[in-house]
Amino acid sequence: MSFEKFFNTAVSSWMSQEGPDSDIVLSSRIRLARNIVDFQFPTVFNNEEAQQIVSLFEQTFAHRFYPSVGRFELLKMSELQLIEKRVLVEKHLISPHLAEDSPFGACLLSENEEISIMINEEDHIRIQCLFPGLQLTEALKVANELDDWIEEHVNYAFDEKLGYLTSCPTNVGTGMRASVMMHLPALVLTQQINRIIPAINQLGLVVRGTYGEGSEALGNIFQISNQITLGKSEEDIVEDLKSVVQQLIAQERMARETLVKTLNIQLEDRVFRSYGILANSRVIESKEAAQCLSDVRLGIDLGYIKNISRNILNELMILTQPGFLQQYAGGVLRPEERDVRRAALIRERLKMEERKAMEGDE
Ligand SMILES: Nc1ncnc2c1ncn2[C@@H]1O[C@H](COP(=O)(O)OP(=O)(O)OP(=O)(O)O)[C@@H](O)[C@H]1O
């Protein structure tokens, strides 16, 4: 298998498929943090230890086939171009931290891009498993299977009382972060999100932006995850998160209904104006593009727009990020050049959809 496919396809299969409640929950992720006994944590280990860990993974797991997810390939950060690393971040396959601050970092990626095992990030091993829609239990099952598979070859740092030992004390215990990526435009439009986020925080959950810790919520996409990793089982953490997510889904649906009832024409106008901007602009910044894409996606969910598939928007959200634009252009672009390319790419993609819809009507 060639590595090229990881960089040239914008949307991984888990992102293009529909899952339960995928009008609101874009994806579910389980991440397990693990460390290997006899090695110091990545925050303090030396280069030799870091390389030994990468070699261990290269020899044991690279090119190995795992049922249902396909063959694994090992990508070393030191061998990737800056743009290629950015593309992997934009596809949510690696964290910005691995791409930017881990010279001995690597990533073991499954052929279907559902599994990404980051090596030498904040911990020696971070297993992440991604599923479309609200499928935390399913993602946990696969993550646990992979965890067992790796443990057949590696001795984990584990304490009988504390559980898995991790670099950062906040991850000790299960070492698990369960998260969902949610599209919540109606809660943002009605400003209910401002009181919902503090309430979620009080329940021991965290609300983050589209690209994780420290990033902002582009296009009304929020990441919700557990804060607590100690004193609760993985299954309980997932169940608790799921019940909050289900309440959020209900609130977002209710807010959409209220908007349609009270501001139908204004909402429809907003959706079509955003569509107009996307279909016609010659220069567009990523923030504006993300906001318009969010409006159009809402318009599709509410039935105002009928001839575009929801997936095009998932795809455009990633394709219009700086890394992808430069990967397509085959080199570095200045921000002003990216804004022009972004506008052209969106226009072209929407035209393709319109043509497809017209052919379907004939
Ligand atoms: N549900 C999800 N769907 C898709 N991608 C996700 C999801 N949750 C997190 N990610 C991606 O995972 C990456 C890491 O996110 P984040 O920093 O929040 O988690 P983490 O590294 O596991 O957390 P921490 O190190 O703080 O415990 C980000 O690039 C983010 O885009």
Side-chain angles (χ1 to χ4, degrees):
M1 183 181 45
S2 142
F3 289 169
E4 292 306 306
K5 95 167 190 67
F6 294 128
F7 308 117
N8 292 337
T9 342
V11 181
S12 313
S13 64
W14 58 266
M15 226 183 264
S16 60
Q17 288 160 17
E18 296 270 310
D21 297 305
S22 57
D23 53 331
I24 294 173
V25 183
L26 308 184
S27 54
S28 299
R29 170 187 186 247
I30 294 288
R31 174 288 264 150
L32 302 175
R34 300 289 184 255
N35 287 281
I36 311 175
V37 279
D38 302 331
F39 287 98
Q40 301 183 80
F41 287 128
T43 34
V44 286
F45 66 8
N46 56 40
N47 296 352
E48 202 185 310
E49 282 180 292
Q51 271 161 338
Q52 274 179 29
I53 295 172
V54 175
S55 303
L56 172 78
F57 272 82
E58 193 165 22
Q59 284 155 18
T60 321
F61 301 103
H63 315 303
R64 288 274 302 270
F65 180 86
Y66 193 87
S68 84
V69 299
R71 201 166 297 285
F72 276 97
E73 294 298 339
L74 188 102
L75 281 73
K76 292 183 191 165
M77 292 304 117
S78 58
E79 291 174 3
L80 298 182
Q81 309 281 334
L82 203 69
I83 294 175
E84 291 173 328
K85 289 193 265 186
R86 246 188 129 149
V87 162
L88 295 178
V89 172
E90 289 167 5
K91 289 176 80 174
H92 302 281
L93 298 176
I94 63 170
S95 66
H97 179 56
L98 188 80
E100 288 155 23
D101 311 312
S102 315
F104 294 99
C107 163
L108 203 58
L109 262 184
S110 72
E111 202 169 340
N112 71 352
E113 300 181 17
E114 213 174 86
I115 311 293
S116 156
I117 300 169
M118 289 189 276
I119 298 149
N120 293 340
E121 204 238 26
E122 190 181 296
D123 294 287
H124 297 144
I125 307 166
R126 283 197 160 205
I127 304 168
Q128 75 159 4
C129 183
L130 290 149
F131 268 63
L134 181 55
Q135 298 198 72
L136 287 167
T137 312
E138 294 74 1
L140 176 62
K141 184 172 170 279
V142 176
N144 279 337
E145 285 169 9
L146 277 146
D147 192 27
D148 293 344
W149 184 50
I150 295 174
E151 207 178 3
E152 285 170 20
H153 305 271
V154 168
N155 269 340
Y156 284 155
F158 184 82
D159 178 271
E160 282 301 327
K161 258 203 199 130
L162 293 172
Y164 292 101
L165 302 178
T166 54
S167 244
C168 178
T170 55
N171 285 314
V172 169
T174 59
M176 182 182 84
R177 185 181 291 284
S179 74
V180 286
M181 207 68 98
M182 300 186 81
H183 184 226
L184 303 173
L187 292 179
V188 173
L189 270 173
T190 55
Q191 295 179 6
Q192 292 180 64
I193 199 77
N194 301 332
R195 66 167 176 77
I196 287 175
I197 291 179
I200 291 178
N201 290 337
Q202 281 189 344
L203 294 171
L205 302 175
V206 202
V207 183
R208 292 177 165 175
T210 326
Y211 286 100
E213 203 171 8
S215 66
E216 57 178 323
L218 271 179
N220 303 318
I221 295 172
F222 296 85
Q223 189 214 118
I224 324 259
S225 65
N226 62 298
Q227 178 79 286
I228 295 156
T229 55
L230 194 63
K232 259 179 161 183
S233 72
E234 287 84 346
E235 287 73 19
D236 287 347
I237 294 172
V238 161
E239 282 311 311
D240 290 351
L241 177 62
K242 250 166 72 180
S243 88
V244 173
V245 170
Q246 270 149 357
Q247 285 176 44
L248 270 175
I249 295 173
Q251 282 175 317
E252 169 66 23
R253 292 221 166 102
M254 230 147 54
R256 290 183 185 188
E257 265 172 42
T258 312
L259 282 174
V260 171
K261 268 191 208 135
T262 55
L263 292 167
N264 192 21
I265 192 67
Q266 287 85 349
L267 191 60
E268 193 173 350
D269 180 63
R270 183 187 169 107
V271 166
F272 279 99
R273 275 175 190 270
S274 289
Y275 185 81
I277 292 174
L278 293 175
N280 295 296
S281 68
R282 269 38 186 180
V283 181
I284 192 164
E285 287 186 8
S286 57
K287 246 191 182 172
E288 187 182 10
Q291 183 53 55
C292 292
L293 287 167
S294 167
D295 287 341
V296 171
R297 199 186 148 123
L298 177 65
I300 295 170
D301 290 343
L302 295 177
Y304 295 141
I305 295 182
K306 298 212 161 50
N307 56 353
I308 301 182
S309 85
R310 269 206 305 244
N311 283 339
I312 295 304
L313 300 171
N314 292 359
E315 185 185 324
L316 281 175
M317 207 65 119
I318 294 173
L319 270 180
T320 54
Q321 298 294 317
F324 250 108
L325 287 174
Q326 298 181 91
Q327 173 73 2
Y328 267 27
V332 178
L333 295 172
R334 282 180 288 122
E336 315 81 77
E337 292 171 326
R338 296 206 292 261
D339 293 348
V340 173
R341 292 244 177 188
R342 179 176 298 114
L345 194 140
I346 296 174
R347 287 198 316 273
E348 187 48 40
R349 200 68 187 85
L350 291 179
K351 261 197 212 123
M352 263 169 71
E353 278 295 290
E354 281 169 14
R355 272 199 299 271
K356 254 201 265 166
M358 271 161 61
E359 281 163 18
D361 286 346
E362 277 165 15

